[in-house]
Amino acid sequence: MIKAKKYLGQHFLADKNIAGKIADSLINENALPVLEIGPGTGVLTEKLICKNFNLSLIEIDIESVEYLRKNYDNKFRLIHADFLKTDISKILENEFCVVGNLPYNISSQIFFKILEEKHRIPEVVCMIQKEVAERMASSHGNKTYGILSVIIQLFYKIEYLFTVNENVFIPPPKVKSGVIRLTRYRDHIEGINEKQLLKVVKTAFNQRRKTIRNSLKSILPEKFDFNNHYLSLRPEQLSPEDFVKLTELIYK
Ligand code: SAH
């Protein structure tokens, strides 16, 4: 077995039933190719193979890559690379689903990257830190509602499926884990420039205790209607669709 490397967020799943449950959670109704991020030593991979998916794996750790090559030859395409730095269109040209027990230290960055490719990713099933999963699924009005909740929920339905305890990993992480499923319901928003939308959301949440009037001061145009009711609210009071409307008002 491989000794886990902390800096790569390696916590290998040791419970095959849970691996099976994660694999079963991927519906993949159109039998699309599946990309697993961070297969490690292949506990989840093995279950994905059983489902006969057209499977590609992307793994940063050479030791895991060599282990996978040795133990499961030819059952998948294996790419030794950093998911965050890889042009995924070079691996998969068309639509695909994403699955993985993600490295928790970079899970937010992974989701931002998934969002960049969302026109090709209709479904994602993954395990992440429980708090992060809850934050993503959180609705407006909650303390945990933030940038990722807004942006993900604008494109994906998000379901919190189940919680996984620390003791089923080697080594055990310090936190509990949660498995979520994202199902895309649209891949763009009519008339919206996503860079502008992201700028509005990020700028608002960067100072989450301030009102929109104060946090967005630098990007509100002169002609903006300063009586607009959004201005007196804090960012967590705006629904994802409110952020879309606010972006329209600012950049129209
Ligand atoms: N899926 C395995 C391993 C999960 S641990 C299991 O459930 O047992 C997270 C895995 O992601 C590790 O194998 C780690 O090497 C890999 N990883 C970390 N950063 C990565 C990156 N940037 N790109 C691809 N894989 C990465």
Side-chain angles (χ1 to χ4, degrees), residues 213 224-232 246 249:
R213 183 187 309 277
F224 196 85
D225 169 16
F226 285 89
N227 293 317
N228 187 292
H229 75 288
Y230 288 141
L231 297 187
S232 58
L246 183 58
L249 290 173

Side-chain angles (χ1 to χ4, degrees), residues 8-13 38-40 59-61 81-83 101 103 106:
L8 290 179
Q10 289 183 339
H11 296 279
F12 299 121
L13 191 56
E59 171 58 62
I60 198 171
D61 176 32
D82 180 341
F83 173 74
N101 166 18
I106 56 166

